[in-house]
């Protein structure tokens, strides 16, 4: 598996003989994929997820969202109740409901690496501003725009937020967010990967120039692979869905993968198949067909 290679322009994955392999796990992104644009899960999608679980296929939500934003799907967890959050930085048990989740696995971003990324990206793209995402806390620089659905715990320069004795020093850092007000989003992603190199894994899921920076080798794909290995599930037995660059590695890794009808061009290139848009229940469409063939 290619955990931390630059993935600016993905190559198409070789076709997998899907008919000969019965899927054992569905891995789906949330925003722009499973969720409609109004952040709801349609009744059709709810029914498809339940039918998959009843047929013995595990469903993993694999998202860039932090654990505290998982209330949108907390009513739809089945069986294991696990989700991969923060682009692979955490595996979370959602059974407790919003505010009562339990971190099963944390793959943190070392503060030293985070500080290196901040300095290198400031040099490469002056005007970049940062926020820091931790297991429970959220902190940001004063000039970081209001992009998220919460009030930050602290306002301070990134260097202070990431200091060993800084705010939330006792909590792991899951990722840092880097925003630029004027650079093209794809250009910002390419530039940042070149500037930061192997000190961290850089991706994006927002339509704006907002990057998500995680620990080296940490991605949706690498954490999903760990969870599958624990269950004795091979990548050929995984069906994955996504729409943005932070999904590319996961879609390339999975035996079957589907780009949404609204997907980024790199995602379309990486996936082995394509479905309709999130607002048209593209995930449910594939699950229904998959179950009909079983």
């Amino acid at each position: 598996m290619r955990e931390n290679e630059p993935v600016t322009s993905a190559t198409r994955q070789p076709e997998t003989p899907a008919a000969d392999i019965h899927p054992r796990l569905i891995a789906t992104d949330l925003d722009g994929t499973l969720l409609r644009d109004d952040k709801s899960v349609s009744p059709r999608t709810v029914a498809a997820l339940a039918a998959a679980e009843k047929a013995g296929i595990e469903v993993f939500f694999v998202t860039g969202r932090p654990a505290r934003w998982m209330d949108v799907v907390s009513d739809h967890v089945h069986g294991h109740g696990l989700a991969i959050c923060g682009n692979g930085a955490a595996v979370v048990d959602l059974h407790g409901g919003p505010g009562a989740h339990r971190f099963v696995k944390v793959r943190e971003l070392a503060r030293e690496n985070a500080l290196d990324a901040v300095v290198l990206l400031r040099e490469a793209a002056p005007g970049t501003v940062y926020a820091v995402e931790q297991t429970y806390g959220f902190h940001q620089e004063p000039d970081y725009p209001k992009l998220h659905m919460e009030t930050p715990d602290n306002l301070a320069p990134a260097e202070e937020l990431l200091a060993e004795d800084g705010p939330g020093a006792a909590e792991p850092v899951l990722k840092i967010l880097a925003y630029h007000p004027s650079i093209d989003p794809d250009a910002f992603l390419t530039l940042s990967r070149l500037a930061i190199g192997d000190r961290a894994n850089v991706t994006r899921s927002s339509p704006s120039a907002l990057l998500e920076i995680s620990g080296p080798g940490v991605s949706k794909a690498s954490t999903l692979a760990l969870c599958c290995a624990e269950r004795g599930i091979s990548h050929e037995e995984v069906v994955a869905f996504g729409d943005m660059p932070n999904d590319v590695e996961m879609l390339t890794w999975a035996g079957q993968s589907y780009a949404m009808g609204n997907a980024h061009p790199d995602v379309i290139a990486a996936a082995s198949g394509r479905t309709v848009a999130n607002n048209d229940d593209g995930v449910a469409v594939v699950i229904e067909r998959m179950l009909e063939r079983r």
Side-chain angles (χ1 to χ4, degrees):
M1 180 179 62
R2 300 178 295 278
E3 290 189 355
N4 198 32
E5 294 181 3
V7 193
T8 304
S9 296
T11 55
R12 185 173 179 82
Q13 178 185 353
E15 295 290 344
T16 300
D20 298 333
I21 299 174
H22 290 298
R24 294 177 58 194
L25 187 142
I26 292 167
T28 178
D29 173 51
L30 294 182
D31 296 281
T33 300
L34 188 79
L35 303 180
R36 290 187 167 185
D37 287 348
D38 64 2
K39 305 306 179 186
S40 68
V41 185
S42 74
R44 180 181 183 181
T45 297
V46 170
L49 295 177
E53 291 275 1
K54 186 176 180 180
I57 303 171
E58 290 193 64
V59 176
F60 263 70
F61 301 127
V62 188
T63 179
R65 286 179 172 236
R68 61 186 178 277
W69 291 4
M70 295 298 288
D71 57 302
V72 290
V73 290
S74 59
D75 291 338
H76 311 300
V77 295
H78 305 272
H80 57 82
L82 298 180
I84 295 172
C85 298
N87 290 326
V91 180
V92 182
D93 185 343
L94 301 179
H95 277 135
H101 49 263
R102 179 175 65 89
F103 285 89
V104 176
K105 188 189 302 291
V106 172
R107 305 181 68 196
E108 68 184 286
L109 170 62
R111 289 172 184 265
E112 180 181 359
N113 291 55
L115 283 166
D116 284 348
V118 165
V119 171
L120 291 166
L121 194 50
R122 278 203 208 280
E123 293 174 354
T128 301
V129 289
Y130 297 93
V132 178
E133 183 75 62
Q134 296 183 270
T135 44
Y136 295 99
F138 178 76
H139 318 277
Q140 68 179 57
E141 294 191 313
D143 292 337
Y144 187 88
K146 187 172 178 56
L147 300 172
H148 310 292
M149 54 180 83
E150 60 192 321
T151 302
D153 299 311
N154 290 280
L155 292 174
E159 290 80 358
E160 292 182 21
L161 297 174
L162 293 167
E164 293 296 338
D165 58 351
E171 278 187 58
V173 174
L174 298 185
K175 64 181 179 180
I176 56 175
L177 303 166
Y179 175 80
H180 199 282
S182 60
I183 298 179
D184 171 80
D186 284 331
F188 192 32
L189 178 59
T190 300
L191 181 152
S192 70
R193 285 174 167 165
L194 291 172
I196 293 171
D198 61 2
R199 293 170 180 82
N201 192 40
V202 188
T203 191
R204 76 176 187 90
S205 60
S206 170
S208 64
L210 176 66
L211 305 181
E212 300 162 69
I213 303 173
S214 306
V218 175
S219 68
K220 289 185 176 186
S222 62
T223 300
L224 178 61
L226 291 173
C227 292
C228 287
E230 292 169 355
R231 289 159 174 75
I233 296 174
S234 69
H235 75 95
E236 291 94 345
E237 297 171 305
V238 176
V239 180
F241 299 86
D243 72 308
M244 287 296 281
N246 64 329
D247 297 313
V248 163
E249 292 153 300
M250 177 175 73
L251 298 179
T252 303
W253 178 79
Q256 298 179 57
S257 57
Y258 292 87
M260 307 304 293
N262 49 290
H264 185 282
D266 284 358
V267 174
I268 295 170
S272 59
R274 195 171 183 186
T275 185
V276 295
N278 62 318
N279 284 334
D280 297 320
D281 302 326
V283 173
V285 168
V286 174
I287 293 175
E288 290 164 356
R289 291 175 182 169
M290 184 173 69
L291 293 177
E292 287 174 2
R293 294 197 300 265
R294 287 174 71 87

